Amino acid sequence: MTNLSRARLIAILAPTFLLGGALVSQYVFGLHPCEMCMWQRWPHLGAIVLALIAIVLRGNPSASKLFAALAALAILGSGVTGFFHAGVEYGWWQGLTACSTVPVGGSTDDVLASIMNTPLTRCDVAPWSLFGISLAGYNGLLSLAAALAIFALLSKAKKA
């Protein structure tokens, strides 16, 4: 397996597992995401799309390498957001001061009922942690490691 192939593999697997873990924690374990949690999910979704493009373009090493690098940047973006969110949870700096989950559509009564039934999830409180590291912290660590691994493999990949 070439370094470019390894980079593409990490570029597709890392965000898929991290986003999948976030969705499992939400829908299976009931850990509802706050706004900053959602901010971490979008770059992973983008990274998955970019990695898929890199895989489709594997016959064109230059283009494939470019899209794998873009996927790594998206993963890194999620990781940076995760570190920022973890810092808010640990009280190292100020984060968001308001929640912004607002349902749209339906009658006034439907919107009001939706607001009243929506769980309030604060960005400055970690709903779960392991060894003192929150989910946001793990996303930061794992995303940073994945992005660095992709960049390292791409730097070692044969010139196209």
Side-chain angles (χ1 to χ4, degrees):
M1 181 179 273
T2 67
N3 285 327
L4 180 54
S5 296
R6 286 184 183 99
R8 286 190 303 249
L9 185 63
I10 294 170
I12 190 68
L13 291 179
T16 299
F17 283 121
L18 288 167
L19 183 57
L23 293 172
V24 167
S25 71
Q26 178 180 352
Y27 292 107
V28 175
F29 298 112
L31 299 175
H32 297 284
C34 69
E35 186 173 4
M36 282 195 276
C37 292
M38 296 303 290
W39 291 353
Q40 295 169 70
R41 293 180 183 191
W42 288 109
H44 282 313
L45 185 59
I48 291 168
V49 171
L50 292 165
L52 286 172
I53 294 170
I55 292 167
V56 168
L57 295 174
R58 66 183 170 268
N60 181 344
S62 298
S64 183
K65 192 173 181 180
L66 172 66
F67 280 96
L70 291 173
L73 285 174
I75 294 166
L76 181 62
S78 179
V80 168
T81 305
F83 282 128
F84 176 76
H85 187 188
V88 171
E89 291 172 336
Y90 301 138
W92 296 340
W93 44 74
Q94 182 71 32
L96 300 175
T97 57
C99 296
S100 63
T101 303
V102 179
V104 181
S107 70
T108 305
D109 289 336
D110 292 339
V111 171
L112 183 58
S114 181
I115 290 171
M116 297 307 289
N117 291 326
T118 299
L120 177 63
T121 305
R122 294 176 45 162
C123 292
D124 62 345
V125 176
W128 181 90
S129 67
L130 179 65
F131 308 118
I133 302 173
S134 68
L135 287 171
Y138 278 111
N139 179 54
L141 292 169
L142 295 172
S143 294
L144 177 64
L148 291 176
I150 294 166
F151 287 132
L153 287 166
L154 291 176
S155 72
K156 295 177 185 176
K158 292 181 182 177
K159 302 293 181 207

